[in-house]
């Protein structure tokens, strides 16, 4: 019998007991949102708190999926139970997607759990549902939960709000020291991986990152207790993967011993609350705008008699 | 919330490196708004069952160009049956006409041959998903 006909409470119970089909089903319901997603959140939120959530991000083609596959194998070999949420983009035109991360993960043991997720219209490098998906996997006993973002450019840093530890993957030839000092992606790394380190330019990439970190030290921006390590990796051969795993564990220890884990989770709480509230509030405002009492205001903006800013204030001020 | 997209696992099962066709089909389904979980070459029935469970897929598309369909098609269905999964299997590729009834009898939802248009591919996949979700091949 298909799980689609089973009451949600039973699916949740099976998932929490490790039934993989039930976990897969819950993840679909979380992606869909709505009442079922909220029921699942209630059942999984508190159970999820002990798993380490790791974000892996970097440019398209940096080798994130291949590295994640190696990392999963390394965690499995160390008797952990890793799971992966791998995000790829949805087409803005049709909503369709080709989710290809599993191609790079073919060697991964089937005891690990890999879920491919489409962004479904959300920018920022993740899908809206990703924190909820990570919660389901953590509550089902997976630890760590690895979130692999879509290939990102410079500013898509949603993953830092979803993860305890963020690994930024760069490759040789990513640009010079000026690129490294631009704001954005490189600021959010807890760990740097220079992947494809067998290629020419790998030591230059390392030097540019080191210089950037030096400047963070000079300007006082860095976390005084944690300087992001830079790890040279060749994911195809597996070189450096154990060093990445060790660095991730050390960062987790650092977060726990300095109470920064709670700080990050408060940041995550604020982020999730804001995103949910924005969605609900946005839908509410959209409804209000269609009501007769706003018809005259809408007309006056359209005709140029009123400014959008002033009219918008009439809309939101009652809630401020 | 947008309506939930259909999710289909596409794979080459067994030792068969002809993947041009499956990539074209992946693109056809993507452009029809589906989420395609692409597994690539050299998959096994076990790896496909694991992917279908983890991805909560609505359908499986297998590409066959090595004359293995009469062995691997039924093997796939048996593996799904054993795992308790009632997900429709669509086979695409080189399947002689005489073999089609055999695959039909084995429980393959549809067979798509060379020259199938994007419309035909999408319609066939949608019909197979709709039929299965209406309880068409309900198993215990």
């Amino acid at each position: 019998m298909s799980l689609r006909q089973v009451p949600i409470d039973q699916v949740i119970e099976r998932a929490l007991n490790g039934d993989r089909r039930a976990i897969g089903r819950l993840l679909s319901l979380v992606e869909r949102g709505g009442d079922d997603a909220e029921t699942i959140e209630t059942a999984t939120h508190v159970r999820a708190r002990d798993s380490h959530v790791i974000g892996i991000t970097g440019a398209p083609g940096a080798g994130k999926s291949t590295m994640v596959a190696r990392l999963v194998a390394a965690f499995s070999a160390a008797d952990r139970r890793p799971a992966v949420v791998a995000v790829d983009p949805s087409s803005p035109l049709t909503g369709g997607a080709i989710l290809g991360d599993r191609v790079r993960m073919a060697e991964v043991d089937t005891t690990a759990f890999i879920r491919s997720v489409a962004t479904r219209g959300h920018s920022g490098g993740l899908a809206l549902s990703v924190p909820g998906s990570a919660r389901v996997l953590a509550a089902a006993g997976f630890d760590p939960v690895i979130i692999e973002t879509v290939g990102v450019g410079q500013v898509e840093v949603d993953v830092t709000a979803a993860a305890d530890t963020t690994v930024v993957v760069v490759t040789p030839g990513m640009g010079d020291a000026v690129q490294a000092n631009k704001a954005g992606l490189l600021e959010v790394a807890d760990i740097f991986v220079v992947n494809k380190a067998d290629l020419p330019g790998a030591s230059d990439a390392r030097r540019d990152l080191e210089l950037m970190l030096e400047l963070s030290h000079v300007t006082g921006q860095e976390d005084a207790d944690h300087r992001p390590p830079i790890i040279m990796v060749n994911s195809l051969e597996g070189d450096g993967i154990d060093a990445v795993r060790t660095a991730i564990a050390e960062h987790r220890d650092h977060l726990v011993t300095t109470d920064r884990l709670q700080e990050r989770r408060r940041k995550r709480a604020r982020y999730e609350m804001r995103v949910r509230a924005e969605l609900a509030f946005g839908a509410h405002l959209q409804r209000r705008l269609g009501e007769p009492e706003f018809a005259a205001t809408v007309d006056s903006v359209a005709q140029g008699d009123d400014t959008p800013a002033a009219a918008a204030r009439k809309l939101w001020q009652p809630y401020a | 919330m947008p309506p939930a997209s259909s999710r289909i696992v596409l794979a080459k099962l067994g030792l068969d490196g002809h993947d041009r066709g499956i990539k074209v089909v992946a693109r056809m389904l993507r452009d029809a708004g589906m989420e395609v979980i692409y597994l690539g070459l050299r998959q096994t029935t076990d790896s496909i069952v694991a992917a279908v469970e983890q991805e909560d897929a609505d359908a499986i598309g297998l590409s066959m160009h090595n004359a293995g369909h009469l062995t691997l098609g039924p093997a796939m269905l048996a593996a799904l049956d054993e795992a308790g999964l009632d997900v429709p299997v669509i086979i695409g590729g080189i399947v002689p006409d005489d073999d089609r009834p055999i695959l039909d009898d084995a429980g393959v939802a549809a067979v798509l041959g060379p020259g199938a248009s994007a419309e035909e591919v999408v319609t066939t996949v949608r019909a197979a998903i709709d039929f299965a979700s209406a309880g068409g091949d309900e198993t215990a």
Side-chain angles (χ1 to χ4, degrees):
Chain A
M1 175 167 157
S2 169
L3 280 177
R4 293 167 199 219
Q5 281 99 50
V6 175
I8 185 159
D9 292 343
Q10 288 179 34
V11 183
I12 290 172
E13 192 185 323
R14 288 193 207 176
L16 294 180
N17 287 322
D19 178 330
R20 302 167 77 82
R21 275 173 68 201
I23 297 167
R25 186 68 201 141
L26 286 194
L27 293 171
S28 297
L29 294 171
V30 166
E31 287 168 23
R32 193 166 300 173
D35 290 346
D36 283 344
E38 199 157 336
T39 305
I40 295 164
E41 188 171 300
T42 306
T44 56
H45 184 58
V46 75
R47 289 168 181 266
R49 65 187 162 186
D50 292 333
S51 289
H52 188 190
V53 182
I54 303 161
I56 311 280
T57 190
K64 295 181 293 299
S65 300
T66 307
M67 192 192 79
V68 166
R70 291 285 186 171
L71 207 48
V72 165
F75 277 116
S76 291
D79 289 330
R80 303 277 295 273
R81 290 187 63 212
V84 179
V85 180
V87 189
D88 268 331
S90 297
S91 160
L93 301 179
T94 66
I98 294 180
L99 310 175
D101 290 318
R102 292 188 90 99
V103 174
R104 321 281 170 212
M105 301 183 191
E107 309 288 314
V108 168
D109 186 319
T110 51
T111 57
F113 197 106
I114 303 168
R115 177 67 170 213
S116 311
V117 173
T119 53
R120 297 192 180 175
H122 189 65
S123 57
L126 297 181
L128 268 183
S129 59
V130 165
S133 300
R135 249 192 298 273
V136 166
L137 291 165
F142 290 99
D143 181 29
V145 177
I146 299 171
I147 298 172
E148 181 193 331
T149 73
V150 302
V152 298
Q154 292 173 317
V155 297
E156 300 94 335
V157 294
D158 272 7
V159 70
T160 60
D164 301 319
T165 298
T166 299
V167 181
V168 173
V169 182
V170 303
T171 50
M174 65 168 183
D176 61 9
V178 176
Q179 294 293 345
N181 277 305
K182 286 184 180 174
L185 189 59
L186 298 182
E187 285 179 279
V188 302
D190 299 307
I191 295 164
F192 283 105
V193 165
V194 178
N195 198 19
K196 311 188 189 185
D198 54 318
L199 294 184
S203 57
D204 294 342
R206 181 189 187 106
R207 183 202 58 213
D208 289 341
L209 290 172
E210 276 171 354
L211 195 62
M212 180 212 49
L213 292 172
E214 278 303 319
L215 292 179
S216 301
H217 175 69
V218 171
T219 62
Q221 191 198 19
E222 71 174 4
D223 170 353
D225 307 319
H226 176 77
R227 178 169 175 148
I230 303 167
I231 302 167
M232 310 302 275
V233 168
N234 175 348
S235 294
L236 284 180
E237 301 295 331
D239 300 340
I241 294 295
D242 273 329
V244 177
R245 186 175 64 83
T246 306
I248 288 170
E250 284 172 359
H251 184 253
R252 163 85 180 189
D253 291 344
H254 162 70
L255 290 176
V256 172
T257 54
T258 59
D259 200 39
R260 285 181 196 270
L261 186 63
Q262 285 316 309
E263 192 180 298
R264 292 209 173 192
R265 293 201 168 177
R266 278 192 293 273
K267 181 179 163 191
R268 189 189 308 176
R270 279 193 288 270
Y271 171 82
E272 283 201 70
M273 287 166 65
R274 178 176 61 76
V275 169
R276 303 294 185 83
E278 276 174 1
L279 275 177
F281 196 49
H284 171 74
L285 292 182
Q286 186 68 33
R287 275 195 305 277
R288 290 282 287 150
L289 272 173
E291 288 170 6
E293 75 172 278
F294 281 101
T297 313
V298 169
D299 281 345
S300 72
V301 175
Q303 286 158 15
D305 299 332
D306 207 352
T307 64
R313 195 167 294 118
K314 287 180 196 160
L315 186 62
W316 61 256
Q317 201 126 56
Y319 308 96
Chain B
M1 284 292 154
S5 293
S6 293
R7 291 167 63 86
I8 180 167
V9 164
L10 288 190
K12 296 287 294 184
L13 173 57
L15 205 59
D16 176 2
H18 305 88
D19 62 352
R20 183 68 64 90
I22 194 174
K23 285 175 172 160
V24 173
V25 168
R27 180 61 190 270
M28 288 170 170
L29 296 172
R30 185 202 86 172
D31 288 349
M34 294 189 192
E35 292 181 358
V36 176
I37 298 123
Y38 183 67
L39 304 188
L41 299 174
R42 293 185 288 278
Q43 299 296 310
T44 64
T45 54
D46 284 350
S47 71
I48 293 170
V49 164
V52 168
E53 287 182 337
Q54 293 168 23
E55 303 288 356
D56 190 31
D58 302 298
I60 300 167
L62 299 179
S63 162
M64 305 247 174
H65 292 81
N66 63 352
H69 49 275
L70 289 184
T71 310
L72 296 173
M76 185 73 247
L77 291 163
L80 290 168
D81 208 36
E82 196 181 334
L85 290 162
D86 52 1
V87 179
V89 175
I90 299 132
I91 290 180
I94 308 296
V95 176
D97 288 345
D98 289 353
D99 290 350
R100 288 184 175 225
I102 304 173
L103 291 178
D104 282 348
D105 289 346
V108 170
V111 176
L112 289 162
S117 66
E119 190 186 349
E120 191 181 347
V121 169
V122 171
T123 308
T124 302
V125 169
R126 285 213 174 110
I129 292 173
D130 290 345
F131 183 73
S133 66
D137 56 356
E138 193 73 72
T139 55

